[in-house]
Amino acid sequence: MKKLNQMKWNGSRIYIGLMALALAACKKLPEKKDYLSQDATFNKKVVYEPILGRTALELTQFSADGSTYPLVFSIENARSKQGHPAPELFQKIKVREWQRDYTGLETSLDEIEAKRVWVDAPFLEVRRGSGDLIFRNAPSSLIRAYPDSGYMFDIKIQNKGNERIIKDFWLRPMQEVPYEPYEYDLRTRERKTETRPRPNNGGSNTVPFTIHPVNLAKMYYTKDSLFRDTLISVYFTKANATGHSLTFKFLGENLEPIDPAKFNNTKWDKLVHGFNRRQTATGVTYDVGYPVPLTALKTLYASEGKANVTFGYSRRGFGGERLDAAFSLNFAIYEPGDWTITFAFRRNPIFNDD
């Protein structure tokens, strides 16, 4: 009987112990916070200077330093450089954004336009998951631009249960630049200058800057005289702010039109991502979507954010040598319109065989 009672007592002790463990397990343990390093930071520039009139993405190269993801980024305390509130940075503006990927293989302007839509979005935004900054296409009539001292803002970083703020990002936007290359200084908006050599090794002159083509090859204006880039000037003009065309024209040394047909090596159907080509004796016109190029992606028509065009012609030189002459231009146009790019030759190129 004593042994039986002992067994019952031991069983009761085990049962009580199991119940205690069960009750302990039911107690809610404190939630473990994610780790957020105090050394997590951005590769922050001294000042961010996006050019207004275009959309740009700034990769801030955030270093998490072992912090627990996901992290959420948000902009805090946006203000003028003098400390006043800056609601204009977040005022909704109408901008075009891509719904589907642009490839450069689209076969019509309608196909391109079907891939992007108008949306309402703020000028300044931080990508919530990466900390990269987006500066959208806003005008200087809305956003303070240089020489104004601009804005300051902070970025809050958060994960589960932790947050910290990295302060004093300086934003000083630049006024719009309608096209590139550009003849005017980005800050002063005064005409830049360039140095041109005088004839017959007579020194040089400092003159107003003019856009010139690149990659000149085998272009002659006399039997023995090759073109230098400074003998060709490039001009951008816009006739209509709401248009969607791009025209290329060529002028001789007396400003007489040069027939584009003389550039007989030019691949006109692959020159730009444009459509409905119209060619006359004075110019070649395409329907295009703006900006040109449409994105920073490398395509058949563009690389490194610039459209690439090459014009060429072939003729026989002295002694029957085949001369394949060419010149190129890398450019961008950021405003819609009916634009014309004119190549003005200070000497008339030789197109005929020698």
Side-chain angles (χ1 to χ4, degrees), residues 146 151 184 228 255 304:
Y146 185 90
Y151 304 91
Y184 299 92
R228 302 185 305 273
L255 301 182
E304 298 181 353

Side-chain angles (χ1 to χ4, degrees), residues 45-102:
K45 291 184 176 179
V46 173
V47 57
Y48 293 88
E49 296 182 315
I51 299 174
L52 297 174
R54 64 185 79 170
T55 295
L57 173 65
E58 179 75 43
L59 301 178
T60 51
Q61 299 177 344
F62 177 73
S63 174
D65 190 46
S67 300
T68 306
Y69 278 89
L71 295 168
V72 177
F73 300 84
S74 59
I75 292 176
E76 304 285 327
N77 191 27
R79 60 216 184 262
S80 72
K81 197 72 162 55
Q82 292 74 34
H84 305 299
E88 66 270 24
L89 293 178
F90 308 106
Q91 180 178 325
K92 296 296 179 66
I93 49 178
K94 284 195 173 297
V95 294
R96 271 182 166 172
E97 292 192 352
W98 294 95
Q99 279 191 320
R100 291 182 287 151
D101 289 342
Y102 169 74

